[in-house]
Amino acid sequence: MTTATLLKKAAAKDTGVVVLTLAEYNRLKAESLPVEYLTGKAARDLDKLVEEGLREHRAGKTRKLKSLADLD
């Protein structure tokens, strides 16, 4: 059995501690999505696309689908 020592300050500061096996940690890390920060034209284009989608949603031009097969 392995013994782990936790500092009370660190546990209280971070509002909790999670203990994982190294294999589980590596699996979760591999499955996580990378964080991308857009700048410049790419960020403006995405902002416009989201704005247009929200405008269409408010205008009632969108519909809720249960699957992609409902797109016909």
Side-chain angles (χ1 to χ4, degrees):
M1 181 192 286
T2 303
T3 303
T5 305
L6 302 174
L7 298 174
K8 288 183 183 179
K9 283 183 182 180
K13 178 181 172 189
D14 295 334
T15 65
V17 175
V18 175
V19 179
L20 298 171
T21 63
L22 187 57
E24 181 69 7
Y25 170 76
N26 286 332
R27 185 188 68 78
L28 289 171
K29 192 170 98 174
E31 290 178 2
S32 68
L33 296 174
V35 176
E36 296 288 332
Y37 296 99
L38 299 177
T39 58
K41 185 176 182 326
R44 286 190 302 276
D45 289 347
L46 184 58
D47 285 345
K48 286 179 185 176
L49 185 64
V50 169
E51 187 178 302
E52 179 184 346
L54 291 173
R55 192 178 319 115
E56 289 178 359
H57 178 69
R58 285 190 295 267
K61 295 181 180 179
T62 60
R63 57 188 172 150
K64 192 178 268 190
L65 301 174
K66 291 187 180 186
S67 74
L68 293 177
D70 297 340
L71 282 174
D72 53 347

